[in-house]
């Protein structure tokens, strides 16, 4: 099971668009996919179900917030009990693969504050054990899913580096960084990379010093930086966008991180309308050449993703 976090410090870069459409395309290819929405904005959640359905059937005790809230109680909740298979997506897949979702909650932002209180310890050794316990929670929850339940788990992270985000990175094998071809979206990538490396070092240092049960080291790898919202002219990105893509490639070359060759084109109309229908863009048939070109771009991104993971 490949666990992949999708993250960028900057909001509005197409993180949710990438997560939803990559998951849908993988499912269309016959793969079993689980999507986990860790962003309290819940944009991914409301891409699959309507807010009134969420409020009626999931808000109280069927979101990832309920799972975090129950971890230190006498009645912990399993991640498996929160999984939902969105009806509209299931219909669109028409028997191909599956796409399951664990929904977010607008109150998830308070979970981070509660987790922070659990990091303190009476001494340094206790603080280190608490650090490992808190940051490995999601990894343990995913490990408790039935064997071979999913080929890929995609985690839509919030645009920050709080404790909830860190639990996703600790649980992950790989990381995808979506970015728009502009200054604000790309300037924070180096800082994000440094933050991830610092988390890995701290976690592994504490794991080695842990005197209890052995703790597995982590090594989440940034698989790709994926450019979103690309405008084309003559079937290639416009000059301004090519400039940012080339500059990003130069900036990350020494780190060994790759910029994906393929990208997702900009189309505010179809991407803006998709959440209202509850079905990702890639699962829709479009007669317009412009719209079908967007779908082709998503398919190529998914193909490059699968080749890198060997799936």
């Amino acid at each position: 099971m490949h666990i992949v976090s999708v993250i960028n410090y900057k909001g509005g870069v197409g993180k949710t668009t990438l997560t939803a459409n990559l998951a849908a395309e993988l499912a269309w290819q016959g793969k079993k996919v689980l999507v986990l929405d860790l962003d309290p904005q819940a944009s991914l959640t409301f891409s699959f179900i309507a807010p009134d359905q969420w409020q009626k059937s999931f808000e109280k005790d069927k979101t990832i917030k309920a799972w975090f809230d129950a971890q230190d109680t006498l009645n912990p909740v399993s991640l498996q009990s929160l999984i939902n298979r969105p009806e509209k997506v299931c219909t669109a897949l028409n028997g191909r693969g599956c796409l399951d979702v664990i929904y977010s909650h607008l109150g998830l932002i308070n979970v981070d504050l509660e987790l922070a209180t659990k990091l303190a310890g009476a001494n340094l050794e206790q603080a280190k054990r608490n650090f490992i316990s808190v940051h490995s929670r999601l990894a343990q929850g995913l490990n408790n899913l039935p064997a071979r339940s999913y080929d890929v788990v995609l985690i839509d992270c919030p645009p920050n580096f709080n404790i909830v985000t860190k639990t996703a990175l600790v649980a992950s094998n790989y990381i995808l960084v979506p970015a728009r071809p502009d200054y604000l979206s790309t300037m924070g990538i180096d800082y994000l990379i440094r933050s991830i490396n610092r988390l890995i070092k701290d976690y592994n240092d504490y794991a080695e010093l842990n005197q209890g049960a052995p703790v597995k080291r982590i090594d989440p790898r940034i698989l790709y930086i994926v450019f979103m919202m690309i405008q084309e002219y003559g079937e290639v990105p416009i000059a301004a966008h090519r400039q940012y893509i080339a500059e990003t490639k130069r900036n990350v070359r020494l780190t060994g991180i790759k910029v994906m060759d393929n990208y997702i084109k900009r189309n505010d109309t179809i991407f803006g309308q998709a959440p209202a229908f509850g079905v990702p863009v890639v699962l829709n048939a479009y007669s317009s050449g412009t719209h079908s070109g967007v779908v082709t771009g998503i398919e190529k991104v998914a193909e490059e993703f699968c080749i890198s993971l060997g799936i």
Side-chain angles (χ1 to χ4, degrees), residues 45 49-64 66 81-86 101-105:
T45 291
I49 58 171
D52 57 347
Q53 182 186 356
W54 174 85
Q55 189 173 32
K56 178 181 178 181
S57 303
F58 300 96
E59 179 183 15
K60 183 179 179 182
D61 56 5
K62 293 293 183 181
T63 71
I64 190 62
S81 69
L82 305 177
I83 293 171
N84 177 254
R85 187 164 295 177
V101 186
I102 296 177
Y103 299 120
S104 186
H105 192 289

Side-chain angles (χ1 to χ4, degrees), residues 81-301:
S81 69
L82 305 177
I83 293 171
N84 177 254
R85 187 164 295 177
E87 184 177 345
K88 291 182 179 179
V89 173
C90 189
T91 300
L93 288 172
N94 195 26
R96 296 171 177 255
C98 75
L99 196 165
D100 292 344
V101 186
I102 296 177
Y103 299 120
S104 186
H105 192 289
L106 283 71
L108 188 60
I109 192 170
N110 297 321
V111 168
D112 194 70
L113 301 175
E114 294 166 5
L115 290 176
T117 65
K118 302 179 188 300
L119 291 175
N123 53 53
L124 183 59
E125 183 62 35
Q126 182 63 52
K128 290 176 180 178
R129 286 198 296 269
N130 290 347
F131 181 95
I132 294 294
S133 174
V134 168
H135 287 82
S136 64
R137 290 188 176 201
L138 188 58
Q140 294 171 5
L142 291 170
N143 286 338
N144 288 334
L145 292 176
R148 300 181 181 178
S149 297
Y150 298 99
D151 299 303
V152 178
V153 177
L154 292 175
I155 306 175
D156 188 20
C157 298
N160 54 47
F161 210 73
N162 61 18
I163 299 174
V164 171
T165 302
K166 291 176 183 178
T167 66
L169 297 173
V170 168
S172 297
N173 312 112
Y174 301 100
I175 299 165
L176 285 177
V177 182
R180 291 179 60 170
D182 60 39
Y183 177 72
L184 291 177
S185 297
T186 56
M187 68 177 293
I189 291 177
D190 286 343
Y191 186 68
L192 174 63
I193 293 169
R194 291 197 297 271
S195 298
I196 292 171
N197 289 337
R198 186 165 58 248
L199 171 64
I200 294 171
K201 182 180 185 303
D202 289 346
Y203 187 92
N204 289 338
D205 285 349
Y206 290 171
E208 289 180 0
L209 295 172
N210 188 61
Q211 296 180 356
V215 177
K216 184 179 179 181
R217 291 170 60 88
I218 63 170
D219 187 25
R221 179 167 64 89
I222 297 181
L223 192 64
Y224 284 117
I225 296 168
V226 186
F227 273 97
M228 311 289 294
M229 306 181 193
I230 295 292
Q231 294 175 262
E232 288 187 332
Y233 182 80
E235 298 186 353
V236 296
I238 61 175
H241 289 183
R242 292 201 304 272
Q243 175 186 343
Y244 278 108
I245 294 171
E247 184 176 343
T248 302
K249 287 181 177 179
R250 286 194 299 270
N251 290 342
V252 300
R253 185 173 295 131
L254 294 178
T255 67
I257 296 170
K258 298 178 181 179
V259 174
M260 187 175 277
D261 292 331
N262 294 290
Y263 50 81
I264 294 180
K265 301 177 187 179
R266 180 169 187 165
N267 191 302
D268 294 341
T269 301
I270 60 173
F271 283 124
Q273 293 175 344
F277 299 115
V279 178
V281 165
V282 75
L283 294 182
N284 292 305
Y286 296 100
S287 56
S288 164
T290 300
H291 293 180
S292 62
V294 172
V295 172
T296 299
I298 298 170
E299 292 170 346
K300 289 180 178 179
V301 165

